Amino acid sequence: MSEELICITCPLGCHLTIERKGDDELLVSGNRCPRGVKYANEELLSPKRMVTATARVLRLPQESQADSLGLVARLPVRSTGAYPKETVGDLLQAIYALEVPVPVKRGTVLISNFKGSGVDVIASRTLLE
Amino acid sequence: MKDLFFDAVVIGGGAAGMAAALELDAAGLSCAVIEREEQLGGILTQCIHNGFGLIEFNEELSGPEFAERIEEKLQGTNIRSFTSTTVMELDAGSENKVLFCYSALWGVLRLSCNAIVLAMGCRERNRGNIRIPGDRPAGVYTAGLAQRLVNIEGYVPGKDIVIIGSGDIGLIMARRMSWVGCKVHAVVEILPYPSGLTRNIVQCLNDFDIPLYLSHLTTNIIGRDRVEGVEITPLENGALMSDKAFTIPCDTILLSVGLVPENELSRMAGVELNPMTNGPLVDSMLMTNVPGIFACGNVLHVHDLVDYVVEESRRAGKYAAQWLKGRRPVREVRVKAGANVRYLAPVRVDVQADNKLYMRTLIVKNDAVLEVRVNNRVVKSIRKNHIQPSEMIQLQLSPKDLESVLSAPDPVVEVSIN
Amino acid sequence: MQNASGPFDVCIIGAGVSGANIARRLSAYDLNLALVDSEPDVSFGVSKANSGIVHGGFHHNKKHLKARLELQGAMMFDRLRQELDFPFKRCGIVVAAMHEDEMRAIDQLYMQGVDNGVIGIEMCSRERILELEPKLHPDTLGGLWVPGGGIVEPYRFVFSLVENAVQNGVQLLTGFAVSRAARQGELWQVEAADGRTLQARYVVNAAGLFADKVSAMFGAEDYTIKARKGEYYLLDRMTKAKPDRVVFPVPTSVSKGMLVIPTVEGTVLIGPTAELVDDKRNLATTKDQLDKILSSARTMIPAVSEYDVITSFAGLRPTLDEDFYIDMSAKVPDFVQVAGIQSPGLTASPAIGEYVKDLLKKAGLKLLEKASYDPFVVKRPHVKDLSPYEVDELAARDPAYANMVCRCEKVSEAEIVAAVKAGHTTLDGIKYFTRAQMGRCQGGFCTYKIIKIIMRETGLSWEAITKNSNASQILKDVL
């Protein structure tokens, strides 16, 4: 019995056909590059997701009352790698609990090696004020 | 009123505008970028999801990261950027072009220049454009407005959401709203196939068990003060099945029903538009019918990936610089959109130059063949594993490919997909 | 929430175009006046969604009060525009006849117009009508030309009237939904649903769709206002279908038909349909009716395209009898009925102000002219109407005039702030006052900025930001 998957590694979206050879061995066809095999293995055996969200920004009170209509209220953040899909909710909760003081530079690590996953959460934008 | 002169003025400080400006600067020309928002980066700054930059930077970045990476390249250049500044009047009638720009910091700026690069991006189609009847309550927003509210302002516009249209912004917002604790009840698409990229269908809908109703039309919006529900009706063979209509209760409707290039300024300048794209008709140097006005990025045609926007805009900047230094196309010929091709940009190629075109197809197909014909004779044929309307197709045409144009009496170049 | 002082000489219920004209007219006299409205802003009822036409005086026989008030009211708009600075233009009206039998109806309309004393009314040949309005269908047989007809932005007219009335001492109470009334000696005691009360010697019932309910609360005449819905499409200013004149079809017995209207602000309005509805809060548009608008408009102006549509909306006409009902109540004392003010109500409204003033005078209200009365509102600059040089000067005083918030309709931050300061604190209120969110993006780009300006200028929290009513909350949570 074969399974079908659409590879989402890149926008080409290869339509993959997968045969299970054993508990953790797959035969993948339909991929245009090796990333398709990697994707099928990950998606079927240990699915992971990149996580992007926003974090609370800590500002001094007078700054938060600035006149500027362009004042950014939330800091965009992202995971540095894919995180196990099943527990993405835990990572999101940790992100929502953050309070990031400004200024903050893009790439600043806000959460390091979350629950030993090897995945960090970093600021994905520089906020000077 | 402050008067300034630049060799070129770029309108729009998103990815397209910045990329074009960098090329103008690299060519040793003076250049200004006018951006109406308070920071450069355009719509990327609110696209906090990942998936940008695979081609441009060979890594997967979020929108703000992508924008900052490009913006950092502006440091150390002579590019002058004016943020919170809106171009309000544009007089391009003569070689010396004049722009009146309004900003709280400067008052009114009068910029003179010899070339203009249009890089204003696009805007979202809205409820009125697709003529959804019904009540007019609060709670009906374009997906982009909702994205701005959630990602930058930190406000959640609604809790129980139905998304109309399966464009990428709508799909991305389905995941985004789910991740901030909202319930997305459905995505409704009038076409029999999704409009957005496959990866977004997989990651933004399937992961959250959000139903996708294909071939369904939104037929009524219900709610006096705030949205209470949306009625959708299936389409079968193009006919509305009114007896099968059903209502999904919700407090919010997000619209992701297409993007339109923002060409109000282009029209003011007398630029001729392509009815297929609503963007300017451009020649092989990405120049419009108005000499010295170039166009690139989403104002030219709506792109699927920002990486392609940057690639195209770099060319526009380069061409504008070359044009200012006197280069003109050698021999141009019109390129026609043939079978299953919705549009091509540019619409002219230079027989003596390397040309790059972007196009979109009208069909979904595996193992398709893209053919270039000169006077009905195939001069180039390319196999495509998979094509669909939501994904742009690139095409390179070299002087060698177009050799036969030189000997043809009334050469017509046609691109088709089968 | 503002509490009423008082007692008032006159309380006007309903801040639509009738109530606003009455209040503003009476504000020229030494009177203590209250203008109350159930909605959070003025002009949020019948007056916000209609065709915005200053009619030509040929549609109705002058045996009707409404025809006489229409003729008188239409003449008053030029002076009002000078005083009140609202968008108004006499672009003229054409009535297009597409069939032979319609030419006969044109003949009758022409004679009625002549009888009513309409200035400049003219029967037109095909050539003449196509010269006056080149966008008309080439098969148009002929028609009527009424140069005095015009267009107005109805809500802006009401806003200006109310602003001027308030300037001249009228107390405006919004969100004041009249729920009970009782006589207390020589005075009316008027109670709102939220518990506020006020006392007034005279009461004017200009409650539009709900005039019947208000009449009943005061124990006055028993009548029923029925709502006749009119749906509209608004077309982008880029449309190729923009006529120079207001284009009417030949009218039917129930309505003046579906028009093509070049709005003063440059967009094009097509409609309205005419359909009785039971529910007076039903402002939903429907596919059937909207389709009718497109096909009807196209018969007159073929360039009308669905691709130019930027929004659709509906308004309700408060219909009673064939004529307006404007009179002192015969049943209860000191109560003026201003009911059934459907088309040409907007045109007639300045004359309604005069007429009601005179009714009150006859009823014994003392009208002493007030030395301090100032008929002029302070003119506010609109960036879209100014040259860059003028904007530069303006921005030197207030830089917010050069900070553009609404790109489609060219509205600056300073104009939004002015709207908020004038009391328009809902998104719709700001839309009607400034046009921001009214253009082709319908608020897609500027809504978040407007929300932030409202919060900054008023101190309101995000929960209090609404579209047009307390329950029309825009945001549901904060992260």
Side-chain angles (χ1 to χ4, degrees):
Chain A
M1 196 194 80
S2 67
E3 292 170 71
E4 303 229 324
L5 264 188
I6 300 170
C7 178
I8 58 171
T9 315
C10 82
L12 289 176
C14 292
H15 292 246
L16 310 178
T17 307
I18 300 118
E19 309 264 359
R20 284 190 192 258
K21 286 282 155 189
D23 272 356
D24 50 4
E25 200 192 338
L26 308 176
L27 184 64
V28 180
S29 59
N31 54 308
R32 269 167 282 195
C33 77
R35 289 183 298 181
V37 180
K38 186 164 171 261
Y39 174 73
N41 274 282
E42 281 173 1
E43 190 62 10
L44 292 184
L45 303 177
S46 60
K48 290 179 176 175
R49 292 292 180 263
M50 293 291 291
V51 175
T52 56
T54 63
R56 184 186 301 276
V57 175
L58 269 191
R59 286 189 176 91
L60 298 172
Q62 63 265 33
E63 281 176 308
S64 63
Q65 282 160 20
D67 260 5
S68 158
L69 295 178
L71 190 77
V72 175
R74 303 283 298 183
L75 174 73
V77 303
R78 71 167 172 90
S79 63
T80 51
Y83 186 80
K85 185 177 153 187
E86 289 305 302
T87 50
V88 161
D90 298 344
L91 182 53
L92 283 170
Q93 285 319 306
I95 291 169
Y96 294 147
L98 288 171
E99 290 189 326
V100 185
V102 284
V104 58
K105 270 193 74 71
R106 186 182 88 238
T108 303
V109 176
L110 305 171
I111 298 174
S112 181
N113 188 17
F114 184 67
K115 290 191 173 171
S117 61
V119 169
D120 297 341
V121 172
I122 59 168
S124 86
R125 176 176 189 169
T126 300
L127 283 183
L128 297 176
E129 51 179 13
Chain B
M1 187 175 302
K2 199 171 171 62
D3 263 294
L4 293 167
F5 174 83
F6 295 93
D7 291 316
V9 171
V10 179
I11 308 178
M18 290 192 288
L22 283 165
E23 293 299 323
L24 283 155
D25 182 78
L29 298 166
S30 66
C31 159
V33 176
I34 315 295
E35 168 56 47
R36 49 189 152 203
E37 296 301 320
E38 290 191 23
Q39 64 284 311
L40 296 174
I43 208 70
L44 284 172
T45 58
Q46 69 183 52
C47 300
I48 64 156
H49 53 282
N50 61 308
F52 303 90
L54 280 165
I55 300 165
E56 181 62 27
F57 296 108
N58 206 17
E59 58 182 300
E60 201 168 343
L61 303 171
S62 74
E65 283 178 301
F66 189 101
E68 262 184 52
R69 289 270 194 109
I70 307 262
E71 192 183 340
E72 277 162 8
K73 296 183 185 179
L74 268 61
Q75 286 162 15
T77 68
N78 293 317
I79 297 167
R80 187 82 187 269
S81 55
F82 297 89
T83 53
S84 300
T85 303
T86 308
V87 179
M88 296 292 287
E89 310 261 345
L90 180 50
D91 180 2
S94 65
E95 198 175 316
N96 182 43
K97 305 176 196 317
V98 180
L99 301 94
F100 289 97
C101 313
Y102 296 5
S103 88
L105 184 62
W106 300 95
V108 177
L109 284 168
R110 183 169 50 201
L111 305 185
S112 311
C113 60
N114 293 330
I116 291 173
V117 180
L118 304 172
M120 294 89 77
C122 53
R123 75 184 142 77
E124 297 176 279
R125 298 215 301 155
N126 53 46
R127 176 184 177 179
N129 299 144
I130 58 165
R131 294 178 293 127
I132 306 175
D135 292 319
R136 302 201 314 134
V140 183
Y141 308 112
T142 59
L145 173 59
Q147 190 178 47
R148 169 90 205 189
L149 288 170
V150 177
N151 290 350
I152 295 188
E153 312 302 336
Y155 294 116
V156 182
K159 292 290 191 184
D160 288 282
I161 295 160
V162 169
I163 295 172
I164 313 294
S166 60
D168 285 311
I169 312 168
L171 300 177
I172 294 290
M173 284 310 289
R175 176 177 62 189
R176 185 74 193 111
M177 298 313 284
S178 301
W179 273 352
V180 295
C182 301
K183 173 86 185 151
V184 179
H185 295 272
V187 172
V188 183
E189 170 61 55
I190 185 174
L191 295 173
Y193 52 84
S195 304
L197 300 172
T198 312
R199 62 178 279 156
N200 291 334
I201 299 288
V202 175
Q203 288 207 335
C204 302
L205 300 189
N206 300 356
D207 273 8
F208 301 91
D209 297 322
I210 297 169
L212 171 61
Y213 294 96
L214 295 172
S215 298
H216 278 70
L217 184 68
T218 306
T219 41
N220 198 11
I221 289 174
I222 302 142
R224 287 291 152 78
D225 296 299
R226 175 83 196 192
V227 172
E228 289 162 20
V230 56
E231 180 198 78
I232 67 174
T233 307
L235 284 159
E236 287 174 19
N237 304 316
L240 213 50
M241 300 286 110
S242 297
D243 52 330
K244 292 183 186 167
F246 58 101
T247 298
I248 306 172
C250 59
D251 67 11
T252 304
I253 295 167
L254 300 187
L255 295 159
S256 173
V257 291
L259 301 167
V260 192
E262 268 228 306
N263 274 294
E264 286 67 42
L265 284 170
S266 321
R267 286 177 207 238
M268 198 188 285
V271 168
E272 209 184 313
L273 302 184
N274 181 349
M276 284 316 294
T277 56
N278 283 304
L281 286 159
V282 290
D283 68 10
S284 63
M285 291 178 75
L286 301 179
M287 190 169 83
T288 67
N289 63 306
V290 180
I293 299 192
F294 297 78
C296 58
N298 286 342
V299 82
L300 178 56
H301 60 114
V302 176
H303 293 56
D304 54 354
L305 298 178
V306 68
D307 303 70
Y308 297 144
V309 166
V310 168
E311 185 281 323
E312 180 181 271
S313 303
R314 248 188 225 127
R315 275 188 289 130
K318 229 177 258 174
Y319 289 140
Q322 291 168 355
W323 186 86
L324 283 168
K325 291 175 179 176
R327 184 192 150 195
R328 298 291 182 268
V330 182
R331 175 152 181 218
E332 282 201 327
V333 58
R334 213 170 80 84
V335 192
K336 241 176 77 180
N340 300 322
V341 176
R342 191 155 76 85
Y343 72 83
L344 292 141
V347 292
R348 302 176 80 78
V349 288
D350 186 347
V351 177
Q352 306 274 302
D354 283 314
N355 298 276
K356 179 155 187 179
L357 298 97
Y358 285 108
M359 68 177 93
R360 285 203 193 242
T361 177
L362 290 159
I363 54 168
V364 182
K365 198 176 177 188
N366 288 324
D367 300 319
V369 180
L370 187 158
E371 282 181 334
V372 183
R373 287 188 178 82
V374 175
N375 287 1
N376 275 324
R377 215 174 53 81
V378 177
V379 296
K380 190 167 189 170
S381 174
I382 302 161
R383 297 200 71 79
K384 295 275 166 194
N385 291 342
H386 179 78
I387 53 159
Q388 61 187 62
S390 58
E391 292 179 12
M392 282 177 16
I393 301 167
Q394 308 180 47
L395 172 65
Q396 310 259 9
L397 287 177
S398 65
K400 197 170 170 302
D401 295 329
L402 297 168
E403 227 169 10
S404 60
V405 168
L406 293 169
S407 54
D410 289 307
V412 178
V413 180
E414 188 182 289
V415 181
S416 59
I417 294 174
N418 284 300
Chain C
M1 186 171 80
Q2 209 185 350
N3 276 306
S5 49
F8 296 97
D9 295 304
V10 184
C11 167
I12 300 135
I13 300 171
V17 76
S18 301
N21 267 291
I22 295 162
R24 194 250 181 182
R25 186 65 191 92
L26 291 174
S27 75
Y29 302 98
D30 197 4
L31 296 169
N32 199 4
L33 303 168
L35 175 63
V36 308
D37 199 286
S38 60
E39 298 286 339
D41 204 339
V42 305
S43 195
F44 266 24
V46 174
S47 298
K48 84 169 168 189
N50 57 69
S51 304
I53 304 291
V54 171
H55 284 285
F58 58 90
H59 274 109
H60 307 282
N61 188 303
K62 74 176 172 200
K63 72 180 183 205
H64 295 305
L65 174 63
K66 71 176 176 186
R68 300 194 299 277
L69 293 175
E70 175 192 350
L71 288 159
Q72 188 193 343
M75 306 276 257
M76 297 168 73
F77 270 83
D78 303 272
R79 176 170 168 184
L80 284 167
R81 196 192 76 86
Q82 286 174 14
E83 292 172 345
L84 298 174
D85 192 35
F86 58 91
F88 164 66
K89 197 167 111 187
R90 288 204 193 272
C91 59
I93 289 170
V94 297
V95 183
M98 310 306 295
H99 307 289
E100 273 307 327
D101 50 341
E102 289 189 343
M103 278 309 283
R104 281 191 291 280
I106 291 284
D107 198 59
Q108 285 165 9
L109 281 178
Y110 172 74
M111 288 317 295
Q112 186 161 274
V114 169
D115 216 35
N116 288 354
V118 174
I119 296 163
I121 191 166
E122 183 185 326
M123 283 274 282
C124 300
S125 64
R126 175 177 179 276
E127 287 70 26
R128 174 69 174 142
I129 201 122
L130 287 173
E131 174 196 286
L132 284 161
E133 184 42 70
K135 298 277 180 189
L136 279 176
H137 198 290
D139 292 347
T140 307
L141 290 182
L144 203 60
W145 164 233
V146 185
I151 43 180
V152 62
E153 299 284 298
Y155 30 84
R156 291 274 292 280
F157 179 39
V158 177
F159 289 160
S160 286
L161 285 162
V162 173
E163 182 177 341
N164 189 235
V166 169
Q167 237 170 277
N168 286 301
V170 172
Q171 191 173 356
L172 171 69
L173 299 164
T174 51
F176 192 105
V178 175
S179 61
R180 246 159 55 96
R183 281 302 273 183
Q184 284 198 339
E186 288 286 278
L187 296 175
W188 282 109
Q189 166 99 5
V190 184
E191 202 177 308
D194 60 13
R196 283 180 288 178
T197 60
L198 63 80
Q199 290 184 317
R201 176 77 175 78
Y202 294 92
V203 167
V204 176
N205 173 18
L209 290 161
F210 304 98
D212 50 356
K213 284 218 177 79
V214 169
S215 185
M217 281 176 214
F218 282 80
E221 281 78 1
D222 183 25
Y223 55 87
T224 306
I225 301 283
K226 286 187 174 148
R228 186 180 289 130
K229 196 199 279 181
E231 301 185 22
Y232 294 89
Y233 268 135
L234 185 69
L235 308 184
D236 193 314
R237 57 177 74 245
M238 302 272 190
T239 179
K240 293 191 172 70
K242 184 156 83 190
D244 292 327
R245 325 287 178 190
V246 178
V247 178
F248 277 76
V250 171
T252 66
S253 57
V254 288
S255 98
K256 296 186 174 82
M258 284 182 252
L259 331 177
V260 182
I261 305 152
T263 70
V264 194
E265 299 285 14
T267 49
V268 174
L269 196 57
I270 57 175
T273 55
E275 187 196 16
L276 276 176
V277 291
D278 294 332
D279 180 352
K280 290 180 189 176
R281 296 197 184 274
N282 175 353
L283 287 167
T285 55
T286 56
K287 186 176 182 307
D288 291 353
Q289 297 289 322
L290 291 174
D291 286 349
K292 267 189 212 167
I293 298 173
L294 277 177
S295 60
S296 166
R298 272 194 200 118
T299 60
M300 299 190 295
I301 297 190
V304 167
S305 162
E306 64 265 41
Y307 297 110
D308 292 329
V309 171
I310 52 180
T311 191
S312 62
F313 62 89
L316 297 173
R317 306 169 182 87
T319 67
L320 179 56
D321 291 317
E322 202 181 337
D323 207 348
F324 295 164
Y325 172 34
I326 309 178
D327 211 343
M328 295 302 297
S329 169
K331 233 177 133 186
V332 295
D334 308 330
F335 188 79
V336 189
Q337 302 277 16
V338 183
I341 312 298
Q342 54 170 321
S343 180
L346 174 62
T347 313
S349 62
I352 293 174
E354 296 290 334
Y355 193 84
V356 171
K357 173 208 68 177
D358 292 331
L359 281 178
L360 287 165
K361 183 173 155 59
K362 274 183 233 161
L365 182 68
K366 292 273 173 297
L367 299 178
L368 290 172
E369 278 184 31
K370 198 159 64 182
S372 61
Y373 174 67
D374 179 358
F376 291 91
V377 294
V378 179
K379 289 190 179 172
R380 292 191 181 82
H382 302 290
V383 166
K384 80 171 168 50
D385 299 330
L386 301 175
S387 77
Y389 301 92
E390 292 169 304
V391 174
D392 198 40
E393 270 179 34
L394 209 52
R397 281 191 282 123
D398 181 358
Y401 276 105
N403 186 28
M404 301 312 293
V405 170
C406 166
R407 58 179 76 169
C408 306
E409 295 296 311
K410 302 184 176 165
V411 184
S412 66
E413 181 184 354
E415 292 162 77
I416 310 278
V417 170
V420 176
K421 287 192 171 150
H424 306 290
T425 53
T426 64
L427 286 181
D428 277 1
I430 286 170
K431 175 167 79 178
Y432 297 127
F433 193 81
T434 66
R435 297 192 64 76
Q437 319 158 66
M438 212 181 261
R440 65 179 62 86
C441 92
Q442 289 284 299
F445 286 119
C446 60
T447 297
Y448 82 86
K449 290 183 181 176
I450 296 171
I451 291 171
K452 284 168 110 168
I453 294 172
I454 298 174
M455 288 167 56
R456 185 186 71 195
E457 298 297 320
T458 61
L460 288 173
S461 82
W462 61 268
E463 292 131 301
I465 302 298
T466 59
K467 184 174 191 294
N468 51 24
S469 62
N470 290 338
S472 65
Q473 205 187 17
I474 294 292
L475 305 169
K476 288 288 188 184
D477 203 357
V478 66
L479 293 177

